[in-house]
Amino acid sequence: MIIEATSVNILRVVEILLAEDVVGIPTETVYGLGGLATSAKAVRKIYCLKNRPADNPLITHFCSVNLVNKYVKFEEAGQIAERLASLWPGPLTLILPIRDERLRVSTAGLDYCGVRIPSHPICLELLDQLDEPLAAPSANKSGYCSPTKAQHVEDDFEGKILVLKGDDDILGIESTVVSLVGRPRILRLGAVPYETLAELLSIDPAELIMESEIMAPGKKYKHYSPRQKVMVSNQSPHFDCCVIKPKNTLELMKNFYSILREADKLNKTIVISCELDPRRFPDYVVFDRLKKMGAEFA
Ligand code: TXA
Ligand code: MG
């Protein structure tokens, strides 16, 4: 069931989370399936609802750097972490060593946890009141398109959870994931351009990113995919299909998953008609997701 983000409902969600249950929550990137990051019970339910492979760790959301530092070794990560964290609250996930062992239930047993402070005002208010770390993967069935509207979460989990409705005007693509284990490396392209990160660290963007190196643990699974075949082509197709012509790539990024979910309902091949320049943001993020869903480029 979808509920509006009134202060009464936010409190209700906080209580549900403290009781180790799971709720759909808005963030500025995509909706998340939230549960207490230190609760084995809540985390088990997240994996079970999503049908997520047990070796794929969850991102944990915090309300402040102070709280981050209590649970992971943020201070020890020094200036690099501090500079990157200037983008918080925002769509950036940093992989840092665990300080509090209780987080391990969310990391698939890894010594490192993906952490971020989201900027969505409703999400921040919720985290602030919760004052605990909140594990939240994207609120879709494993392998399917991320949810960018409360209704998408409802569609995927059919009345099994409450969904706190945010303002649905969001970035529409997931956070950028950066590992700070060893030299900084991008594990997943996302809503923060890698050029921005390179500038903050005063390094060459090429040092952060090498195509073959983009490998979060989830990489080996098929990701973000609609059920129907997706093609990217500027030629007029000569078969019955669903043609999508975005105004520009920024608009495409914002509405990407929403468009794919809609088109999927029509049971037709999806043809996206646009020019993508894989060297430019946000084109390279959309390009990355299209490749991961096995899209054909013609
Ligand atoms: O924007 C986002 O990041 C959204 C919102 C809800 O915050 N969350 C999200 O979570 O996209 P999820 O679980 O769908 O994708 C998280 C990605 C996965 O590819 C996972 O393998 C990687 O981040 N990841 C999480 N924890 C990690 C860790 N400790 N080490 C390496 N990769 C990690
Ligand atoms: Mg996901």
Side-chain angles (χ1 to χ4, degrees), residues 240-268:
D240 189 21
C241 59
C242 189
V243 181
I244 293 152
K245 276 197 168 84
K247 273 204 290 272
N248 52 49
T249 41
L250 204 64
E251 189 209 66
L252 178 60
M253 178 178 88
K254 211 171 158 63
N255 299 313
F256 188 57
Y257 291 126
S258 192
I259 290 170
L260 293 178
R261 278 173 175 262
E262 278 307 308
D264 219 6
K265 287 186 188 152
L266 301 174
N267 269 329
K268 288 180 186 171

Side-chain angles (χ1 to χ4, degrees), residues 50 138 140 146:
K50 276 186 65 95
S138 54
N140 50 277
S146 291

Side-chain angles (χ1 to χ4, degrees), residues 2 31 149-156 163 168 261 265:
I2 298 172
Y31 275 75
K149 295 181 192 305
Q151 188 57 47
H152 296 160
V153 185
E154 183 72 5
D155 290 346
D156 281 13
V163 185
D168 284 342
R261 278 173 175 262
K265 287 186 188 152

Side-chain angles (χ1 to χ4, degrees), residues 176-193:
T176 303
V177 180
V178 179
S179 170
L180 296 184
V181 182
R183 69 172 178 83
R185 281 179 312 142
I186 291 188
L187 302 187
R188 177 178 74 183
L189 296 169
V192 175

Side-chain angles (χ1 to χ4, degrees), residues 30 50 52 137-140 144 146 174 188 223-224:
V30 300
K50 276 186 65 95
R52 184 179 177 102
S138 54
N140 50 277
Y144 197 54
S146 291
E174 302 82 359
R188 177 178 74 183
H223 255 324
Y224 316 107

Side-chain angles (χ1 to χ4, degrees), residues 32-80:
L33 193 58
L36 275 191
T38 50
S39 159
K41 184 181 168 203
V43 169
R44 207 177 309 121
K45 187 162 178 184
I46 291 174
Y47 277 87
C48 187
L49 280 169
K50 276 186 65 95
N51 199 14
R52 184 179 177 102
D55 62 352
N56 194 2
L58 307 179
I59 291 177
T60 294
H61 301 67
F62 294 81
C63 62
S64 67
V65 170
N66 219 356
L67 196 64
V68 168
N69 199 42
K70 277 190 191 151
Y71 282 87
V72 299
K73 295 178 181 162
F74 175 80
E75 252 168 41
E76 290 85 337
Q79 256 197 15
I80 290 179

